[in-house]
């Protein structure tokens, strides 16, 4: 499908995208836009098959924006999140992407010519703007109360990550229902003393497996997991040493993108091309929509974006959070190997590191030496027979 066909089908607007010839990486998927032959203009990569495929992928990601007209939040009079809910909406997009990957696969695309998948509608219903939708803004605010979340107030990436960890833990029985049985664990990667000492966050393998065991009552030693890594990579701007590392995370097959943007204006960053970061913008105000999974005729157009927007990578706010989704042990294995390679490329300043246990050697700034850790040989000495499978996993 070329770009002309895509524009006719989706009404796509690409006026904000420059004609760069660099490869595009979108949440682990690679799109080559520089080719020898083009359908229309040989000088314009935007007319390539690769760019058309990127457009289709980008427009299939779920968009959550400001909404108005929903039931008041708690005991307040807030029936809209306009001007203050952008971080909550950005985080909803990231978690919804994990649901899409688990239920429908990374290759899923929303087709304007086919009926909507039931699982897709179930995912949207989880994020409805009402108290009975488990992942609603109402429930996020309640779960994040201990981290300073309140209607009308802006929140940072770290508090948002901890809020999702609390929400999934507290709502596991409610979400793990007939409406949407498969759910995931959310695990926040932080540094020593929860990051109070600074330095790169450390993913301790011993801790994460203990986490699974405790939450499942020893029933499972692995469940599909969203890893959230909150970071502060500078003062007013991201330190330039981190920019190549941030870009590289979009090449991970497990990539869920980045919660970030400009100061006070959170977005969901989903892709990279050269010095540009592509993002979904939650700052459009839309009327509330009620999605039921059993509805046959439902308009979901407000949950997708037909405009490609980008910002310069070096303009991203240094306070951000990176997300990854690991479906199973082999996926996590691959993630560990890629992370170790990324640490090796960091010249002593990694985004985050991996260690087998808290007793592993930590030279320098309380950072684990990734080269001393082989996730394949050390983590999985045998294959457990009681691992959670796709259709049998529980919310932890």
């Amino acid at each position: 499908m070329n770009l002309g066909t895509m524009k006719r089908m989706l009404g796509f607007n690409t006026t904000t995208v420059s004609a760069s010839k660099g490869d595009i990486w979108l949440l682990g998927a690679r799109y080559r836009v520089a080719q020898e032959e083009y359908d229309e203009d040989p000088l314009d990569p935007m007319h390539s098959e690769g760019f058309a495929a990127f457009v289709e992928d980008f427009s299939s990601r779920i968009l959550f924006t400001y909404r108005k007209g929903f039931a008041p939040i708690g005991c307040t009079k807030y029936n809209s999140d306009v001007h203050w809910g952008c971080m909550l909406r950005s985080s909803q997009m990231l978690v919804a992407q994990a649901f899409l990957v688990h239920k429908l696969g990374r290759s899923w695309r929303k087709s304007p010519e086919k009926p909507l998948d039931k699982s897709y509608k179930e995912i949207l219903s989880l994020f409805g703007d009402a108290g009975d939708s488990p992942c609603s803004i109402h429930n996020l605010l309640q779960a994040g109360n201990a981290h300073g979340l309140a209607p009308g107030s802006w929140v940072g990436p770290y508090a948002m990550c901890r809020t999702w960890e609390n929400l999934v833990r507290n709502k596991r029985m409610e979400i793990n229902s007939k409406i949407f049985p498969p759910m995931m664990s959310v695990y926040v990667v932080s540094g020593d003393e929860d990051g109070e000492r600074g330095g790169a966050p450390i993913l301790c393998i011993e801790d994460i497996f203990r986490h699974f065991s405790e939450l499942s009552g020893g029933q499972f030693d692995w469940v599909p997991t969203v890893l959230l890594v909150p970071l502060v990579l500078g003062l007013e701007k991201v330190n330039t040493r981190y920019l190549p590392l941030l870009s590289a995370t979009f090449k991970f097959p497990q990539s869920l993108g980045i919660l970030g943007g400009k100061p006070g204006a959170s977005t969901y960053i989903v892709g990279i091309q050269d010095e540009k970061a592509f993002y979904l913008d939650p700052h459009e105000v839309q009327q509330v929509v009620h999605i039921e999974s059993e509805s046959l005729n439902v308009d979901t157009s407000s949950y997708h974006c037909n405009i490609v927007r980008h910002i310069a990578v070096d303009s991203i706010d240094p306070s951000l959070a990176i997300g990854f989704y690991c479906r199973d042990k082999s996926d996590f294995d691959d993630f560990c190997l890629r992370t170790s390679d990324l640490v090796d490329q960091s010249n002593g300043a990694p985004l985050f590191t991996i260690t087998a246990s808290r007793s592993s050697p930590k030279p320098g700034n309380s950072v684990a030496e990734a080269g001393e850790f082989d996730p394949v040989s050390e983590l999985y000495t045998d294959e457990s027979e009681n691992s959670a499978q796709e259709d049998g996993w529980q919310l932890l």
Side-chain angles (χ1 to χ4, degrees):
M1 182 184 301
N2 61 30
L3 188 62
T5 303
M6 188 67 64
K7 285 182 176 179
R8 290 191 295 272
M9 291 177 62
L10 300 177
F12 212 84
N13 183 335
T14 59
T15 56
T16 63
V17 181
S18 62
S20 173
K21 294 183 179 181
D23 290 349
I24 297 174
W25 285 92
L26 178 67
L27 300 174
R30 183 182 189 178
Y31 295 100
R32 297 180 181 273
V33 298
Q35 302 176 11
E36 294 182 0
E37 296 181 0
Y38 301 90
D39 293 330
E40 299 177 28
D41 185 351
L43 300 178
D44 189 355
M46 289 176 59
H47 291 137
S48 68
E49 292 291 334
F51 191 81
F54 158 71
V55 164
E56 184 181 21
D57 191 352
F58 180 89
S59 64
S60 295
R61 300 313 104 204
I62 291 178
L63 169 73
F64 292 117
T65 69
Y66 291 150
R67 295 282 178 173
K68 61 181 181 180
F70 51 70
I73 298 171
C75 298
T76 74
K77 296 182 179 180
Y78 283 97
N79 62 358
S80 170
D81 62 316
V82 178
H83 301 313
W84 57 269
C86 58
M87 178 59 75
L88 286 88
R89 297 302 186 180
S90 299
S91 73
Q92 285 180 319
M93 288 188 260
L94 185 148
V95 175
Q97 172 61 16
F99 291 170
L100 280 178
V101 173
H102 180 76
K103 289 296 291 182
L104 297 169
R106 180 61 185 87
S107 62
W108 177 83
R109 303 291 183 266
K110 183 177 182 292
S111 172
E113 300 175 335
K114 296 180 180 179
L116 297 176
D117 294 280
K118 181 180 179 181
S119 293
Y120 162 74
K121 291 185 289 184
E122 288 174 340
I123 292 170
L124 291 183
S125 70
L126 283 175
F127 293 86
D129 293 305
D132 58 358
S133 295
C135 300
S136 66
I137 192 171
H138 300 63
N139 285 314
L140 280 170
L141 288 166
Q142 184 178 20
N145 182 262
H147 298 287
L149 270 69
S153 299
W154 198 83
V155 61
Y158 177 83
M160 198 71 252
C161 292
R162 288 298 181 190
T163 295
W164 274 105
E165 193 174 51
N166 291 345
L167 177 72
V168 172
R169 185 190 298 267
N170 297 339
K171 292 286 184 178
R172 63 183 182 273
M173 295 306 297
E174 181 178 339
I175 303 177
N176 187 32
S177 65
K178 293 181 180 179
I179 297 176
F180 195 86
M183 197 62 177
M184 65 200 52
S185 166
V186 172
Y187 188 86
V188 178
V189 180
S190 61
D192 286 343
E193 297 185 4
D194 212 16
E196 293 298 324
R197 291 184 180 179
I202 303 168
L203 175 58
C204 177
I205 308 306
E206 185 178 65
D207 286 353
I208 195 170
F209 277 87
R210 184 184 301 114
H211 167 79
F212 295 151
S213 179
E214 291 175 353
L215 290 177
S216 67
Q219 191 175 7
F220 302 122
D221 63 357
W222 178 264
V223 293
T225 299
V226 172
L227 297 171
L228 298 176
V229 189
L231 298 166
V232 178
L233 301 178
L235 296 177
E236 296 182 356
K237 298 184 66 175
V238 174
N239 189 309
T240 55
R241 69 169 63 181
Y242 295 116
L243 296 177
L245 304 178
L246 279 179
S247 297
T249 63
F250 289 98
K251 300 179 181 181
F252 284 38
Q254 301 83 11
S255 172
L256 291 178
I258 293 175
L259 298 181
K262 297 181 179 181
S266 176
T267 63
Y268 176 36
I269 301 173
V270 296
I272 202 85
Q273 182 191 36
D274 299 331
E275 307 304 319
K276 302 190 297 290
F278 298 106
Y279 67 94
L280 291 169
D281 189 357
H283 294 90
E284 178 183 357
V285 182
Q286 302 189 88
Q287 189 67 32
V288 66
V289 176
H290 298 288
I291 302 291
E292 299 292 339
S293 60
E294 301 299 331
S295 301
L296 296 178
N297 298 316
V298 57
D299 182 8
T300 64
S301 59
S302 66
Y303 290 98
H304 296 273
C305 183
N306 65 350
I307 300 176
V308 176
R309 295 183 173 92
H310 66 81
I311 58 175
V313 176
D314 61 6
S315 70
I316 295 174
D317 191 292
S319 180
L320 52 87
I322 311 174
F324 303 95
Y325 171 63
C326 298
R327 178 189 294 273
D328 51 33
K329 284 185 176 181
S330 62
D331 207 15
F332 183 65
D333 233 3
D334 180 77
F335 168 78
C336 290
L337 290 172
R338 291 173 184 274
T339 299
S340 295
D341 289 342
L342 198 60
V343 171
D344 291 341
Q345 302 168 24
S346 68
N347 294 321
L351 297 173
F352 61 99
T353 61
I354 299 179
T355 183
S357 68
R358 289 294 175 184
S359 60
S360 298
K362 298 179 186 179
N365 190 26
S366 298
V367 175
E369 181 62 50
E372 298 177 4
F373 172 57
D374 180 352
V376 176
S377 64
E378 294 190 31
L379 295 185
Y380 313 132
T381 57
D382 55 23
E383 288 297 324
S384 173
E385 296 180 356
N386 62 344
S387 298
Q389 301 300 317
E390 176 176 351
D391 294 327
W393 62 341
Q394 298 180 0
L395 172 60
L396 303 176

